[in-house]
Amino acid sequence: MKGRQIRIAVLQFPGTNCEYETAAVIEAAGMTADVFRWNRRSSELAGFDGFVIPGGFSYQDRIRAGAVASKKAICAVLVEEAGKGKPILGICNGAQVLVETGLVPGNESRIDMALAHNKVIGKSGYHCDWAFIRNETQEKVGAFSRLFAPNEVIPIPVAHAEGRFVTKNANTLDTMVRNGQIGFRYCTSTGEVLEVFPVNPNGAQLNLAGAYNRAGNVLALMPHPERGAWNRQIPIDLERKGQRRLQGLEYSRMQGPGMKFFLSMRDYILEGSPVQ
Amino acid sequence: MKYTETIPVSGQTSDAELQALLRKMNIGMSPAEARKVAGILGRDPTRVELFIFDIEWSEHCSYKSSRATLKKYLPTDASNVILGPSEDAGIIKFTTANGREYALVFAHESHNHPSQVLPIEGAATGIGGIVRDVDCMGAHVIAVADALRFGNPSGKNAARTRWIANGVVDGIWQYGNALGVPNLAGDVYFDDSFDDNCLVNVVCLGVVPADRIIRSRVPRQAAEEDYDLILIGKPTDGSGFGGVTFASEIMNDEEKERQLGAVQVHDPFLKNILITRKANKMVWDLAFERGIPIGMKDLGGGGLACASSEICSAGGFGAVIHLDRVHTSMPDMPPEVIACSETQERFIFAVPKEFTPDVLRIYNDIWELPGEANGAGASVIGRTMKDPVFQLLYHGETVCEAPIEEVTGGIRYERQAEPIEFKGTNPPAGEMPDIAGSLEKVLFSLNGCSRYPVYRHYDTEVQGMAVLRPGESDAGVMAPLELTEQCPAGVALSVDGNPFIGEIDPYWGGAAAVAESMRNVVACGAVPRALTDCLCYGNPEKPKAFWQFVRGVRGIADAASRLWQFGTNKEPVPIVSGNVSFYNESALGLAIKPSPIVACVGTMSDYSTAVGHMVTGAGHQLLMVGRRRDEMGGSAYFREVFRVTGTQAVTIDWEQERKDMHGVVQVLRKGLATACHDIADGGCITALAEMLFSHRRAPIFGMTVRLDDTQGLPVDRFLFTETGGFILEIPEENVAAAMSLLSDNGVPSWRIGEVTEQSRIVIKHKNINILDIDIKVLLYGWFHGLEEASL
């Protein structure tokens, strides 16, 4: 597999607004990114090695966030491609789309989860800030977690009004835990999983920030890894000593923790998908 | 109804009757103005013509009261200016990246009246409008900022004020976040004078390759070949009909119902498809690729009539427009509504006829606007013509035919100015209040506390360019070309205007707004490169209100000239765009405090030299720049501790202030400092405390400040006076170099203390502790201050 171009489609719906920075991060991770407009021929999608559904407000969040996009032809192709083991990352609105397609948690494409309105202290609505998340997967499990150490904690921004993972049935989460589908959970800077706002920025059950399908190749992730992919993007008050300022441009341009999601994706593709 | 019928304004009708007739038609112009229209046309005007002139001659469109003053005083030119305040946005040079010149596009507006009656829609369409202004210059929009002024949330209109404040914040995030434009700067003030008139200022910044700027005028080639006028975007509806007239009159409760209809309805979803590197960019790229000259303008105040006449007139052309070819939300809309409604999310293009099919295909087929966005799309609505006539047809009949330069030329009024003597009171002489208690009062007050409850709703991260955000630094800093060009050039953006200074002295109110916005940019390590202003005042027909306006403009002008651009031969920091908002007055005649609001954009060659305002290491030294003066009028200390205004507003020592700013820029560029915060509201003690606050973590540092020399002032005045200045955090090993660099540039600096590991702030005056307080206590009260406003 080494040496060939890895092609990733970045899906663009009307209302998507993170497609270009997401594409830039994919390119920086050593893959090529093609911003793929929703009304292009969906059969073209089969030629890609992996897919990212970026953030935004697809279709104005009509009905529910992600609901309309999930019914488009390209999402039907996505479900097929997921079945082949290709990696699919949904970020923020993309996570909402994946949940609406039933790909996550992925019980015969039933819609078992939703992303509900945030529960916060203070005025409700959109919340944008940096949070910390902890990797919950075991080594080399999960197409987007492979380069994270077990229990590794990273800073990452959240920006959403509807980011609270909820499930239809009480036992869905238990099943997901048993299956190892819990990808990332909100925590403190030292890795403690506390339910209190703003450690948990939206009130999600289990502090869930990122959930996998059963096979581990599809991740619905509410925080935005593409916005924390270089050191320059990380707020100075999350660094104890203000290193960024003192270490200059070279340090600012070094890859940050968000990049690991995309490097993991590349690693996963290079190793060869389990099913072809 | 026959639309070619004329309205009998000339001759027989008396002033009173004519006035009644105009009001009945919902036309705001005076009888004399209506007669002037008839004079220009050489006949009585049609209904459509009257509406068009009413809009074009409104204060909002014609600047009829303000233009002479603005032209006389404001410096708008400098060698870095590409386009001054003549089109939708100003443009300045930015940087070269990979051999290509890049420019910054900068615009500033208010949406005050609409936000007072419908806060969500008013604020959202404010953001929507300013984003269109920048986009239509061919730019990629990289940031918005907002300056908000609300009434007293515990005052006479408490419930309404809270409703407005919450609605405005919701409108801003709902629009900007969905669009995908980061909100990186802003400020908020509360005061009783804004009870009946909130202020919602919006600022927008974009970046464009200098060889790809699109002008808001029909290109010269239209003299040689046929040019079509294409209207794109939302189907025209009745929303916002009468919007500019509404913005140019006093708020009146009885008129509220009519005014509600004058507020536009926003659609960020549709706007997202048009801008943010989607449909519009596809048209621009194709046009530049093929070398086709095009013109483009956004539809804002005055709608289609205003935008189409201005884009044609600016190029020296006339226009023929078929109003029945405009795509509308319902059939058979009256022609004056099609011509003048302020339906959002629309642009007009002037393109050569042979390019028209490509433009239509981009919007209607590639981006499927008609299907995906409720009947939006692109329609050819007319053409340009060499005759300088503005002609509108409706079902084949001419409903407007007027000399185009008369339509866009506007009218002028000479307004009278009469000085006001401000009568304020000073605190009683006597014992000095307790410093800790005073600091708490200032920090926990509505105007002194954290703005986190507001800006946490704004997406600061979208586009991935943010380097420093609200809460981290005095200005928002971004790296707009890093992702696409690997170019380290940085941009800093700030918007400011302290209404408590303008009340005491409108001149210093204007000057201080400029200085403060520049200081915020400087404190991040950027060089101020351009300004915009939005001048919000009462009724200009009242000489006292007009005097406040003129004084404010003069203050802005002097500051922009005398605090000239670093590294130039005394070139002003140019004012490249702006807006005037008059009639911020209630029916009871209560006007707002004079509120000139100024935005500043700064640049730096390497964004990684930017610093935030939070201290970064124990043992680092604190250096103060900016000599304190006893000018406490309008200060937070007088307001919050003594409940008086004072009489002497903050002033600026031009020469020293300029040296201070230029000196601090050099210290930061050299990388000698690790943090910097400007001294403003609440004085240097507030600045020091804020350098210890982060909303993201428990306090990890403290500071010890030693006041051996209070520069001849009583200790409390030294600590709380709001004379401009800076506090720099400098590692011990850099202190000597920083101080000598400052002193070489004529900048006095004072070592006033150091950062410590205990999270306490300790201030010693001649070795006696006059303050010793846990940062957690201050942080808690500061962080929760806006709860009083239900924010």
Side-chain angles (χ1 to χ4, degrees), chain A residues 12 14-21 24 37-39 57 59-60 62 72 120-130 157 159 227 230 232-233 235-242 244-246 248-249 252-253, chain B residues 166 170 173 177-178 180 267 269 272-273 277-278 366-368 372 452 456-464 467-469 472 482-483 486 488 606-612 614 616 668 671 674 694-697:
Chain A
Q12 181 185 44
T16 297
N17 65 25
C18 304
E19 62 270 49
Y20 297 103
E21 59 267 35
R37 207 173 51 246
W38 85 99
N39 55 5
F57 289 66
Y59 296 95
Q60 213 165 10
R62 286 176 211 151
K72 293 288 165 178
V120 304
I121 296 174
K123 187 167 141 63
S124 64
Y126 204 88
H127 176 75
C128 174
D129 201 353
W130 282 67
R227 301 174 177 188
W230 286 279
R232 71 178 158 84
Q233 297 172 312
I236 43 178
D237 48 346
L238 295 182
E239 301 178 358
R240 283 186 66 88
K241 299 283 180 193
R244 185 173 76 205
R245 173 62 192 83
L246 293 173
L249 194 56
S252 287
R253 283 179 164 170
Chain B
N166 276 277
D170 284 343
W173 78 250
N177 296 0
D267 185 352
F269 169 71
N272 165 278
I273 310 176
R277 291 173 277 190
K278 293 191 176 80
I366 295 180
W367 293 96
E368 293 186 37
E372 299 291 359
Y452 177 74
R456 78 173 183 85
H457 293 293
Y458 301 158
D459 193 339
T460 50
E461 309 299 310
V462 64
Q463 300 190 16
V467 176
L468 292 169
R469 310 152 180 81
E472 298 170 13
E482 177 67 279
L483 267 185
Q486 289 72 54
D606 174 357
Y607 64 79
S608 75
T609 63
V611 295
M614 284 172 271
T616 61
L668 294 176
T674 42
S694 157
H695 74 259
R696 295 199 179 99
R697 65 175 183 212

Side-chain angles (χ1 to χ4, degrees), chain B residues 139-369:
Chain B
H140 170 53
V141 176
I142 58 168
V144 292
D146 57 324
L148 311 175
R149 306 288 178 266
F150 300 123
N152 180 353
S154 307
K156 70 175 168 72
N157 287 348
R160 186 173 172 83
T161 294
R162 289 167 192 225
W163 176 72
I164 290 171
N166 276 277
V168 164
V169 171
D170 284 343
I172 290 171
W173 78 250
Q174 286 174 12
Y175 199 96
N177 296 0
L179 193 57
V181 175
N183 185 320
L184 279 170
D187 69 350
V188 187
Y189 281 97
F190 298 86
D191 180 67
D192 298 292
S193 81
F194 303 110
D195 276 356
D196 297 313
N197 290 275
C198 69
L199 300 184
V200 175
N201 268 224
V202 287
V203 175
C204 185
L205 192 64
V207 63
V208 63
D211 57 358
R212 294 222 155 177
I213 293 167
I214 292 179
R215 300 293 300 270
S216 319
R217 64 181 186 208
V218 172
R220 242 179 262 124
Q221 282 74 357
E224 262 95 71
E225 53 183 313
D226 290 341
Y227 262 65
D228 281 334
L229 293 170
I230 304 176
L231 180 66
I232 65 149
K234 199 169 174 183
T236 297
D237 54 33
S239 66
F241 184 59
V244 295
T245 307
F246 165 45
S248 308
E249 62 190 17
I250 289 164
M251 302 287 290
N252 184 339
D253 270 350
E254 286 149 32
E255 300 264 336
K256 205 156 273 165
E257 199 150 322
R258 173 172 67 82
Q259 291 169 343
L260 285 176
V263 180
Q264 307 90 343
V265 182
H266 53 290
D267 185 352
F269 169 71
L270 168 56
K271 183 72 112 322
N272 165 278
I273 310 176
L274 299 178
I275 78 158
T276 64
R277 291 173 277 190
K278 293 191 176 80
N280 288 356
K281 185 170 191 296
M282 218 177 239
V283 175
W284 307 333
D285 287 351
L286 200 58
F288 281 111
E289 218 172 87
R290 297 190 192 159
I292 299 171
I294 61 172
M296 182 188 189
K297 191 171 174 68
D298 92 287
L299 271 70
L304 175 62
C306 215
S308 60
S309 60
E310 285 176 11
I311 193 174
C312 292
S313 166
F317 294 93
V320 188
I321 291 170
H322 298 266
L323 292 173
D324 39 287
R325 293 184 192 165
V326 170
H327 51 286
T328 56
S329 63
M330 56 181 126
D332 301 324
M333 280 170 50
E336 68 272 18
V337 177
I338 299 174
C340 303
S341 117
E342 295 178 11
T343 304
Q344 293 289 289
E345 331 306 356
R346 297 182 300 167
F347 296 92
I348 189 167
F349 274 104
V351 306
K353 211 174 185 56
E354 88 250 8
F355 189 45
T356 297
D358 290 302
V359 176
L360 297 182
R361 188 173 55 87
I362 286 171
Y363 294 99
N364 296 340
D365 300 332
I366 295 180
W367 293 96
E368 293 186 37
L369 288 187

Side-chain angles (χ1 to χ4, degrees), chain B residues 9-15 18 29-40:
Chain B
V9 302
S10 55
Q12 63 276 42
T13 336
S14 76
D15 263 12
L18 183 50
M29 67 169 55
S30 67
E33 287 170 342
R35 293 209 174 86
K36 197 170 171 195
V37 173
I40 285 170

Side-chain angles (χ1 to χ4, degrees), chain A residues 198-225:
Chain A
V199 173
N200 179 341
N202 52 38
Q205 291 181 13
L206 274 186
N207 279 36
L208 190 55
Y212 275 107
N213 64 344
R214 230 174 231 254
N217 63 322
V218 181
L219 174 64
L221 182 69
M222 280 315 294
H224 283 271

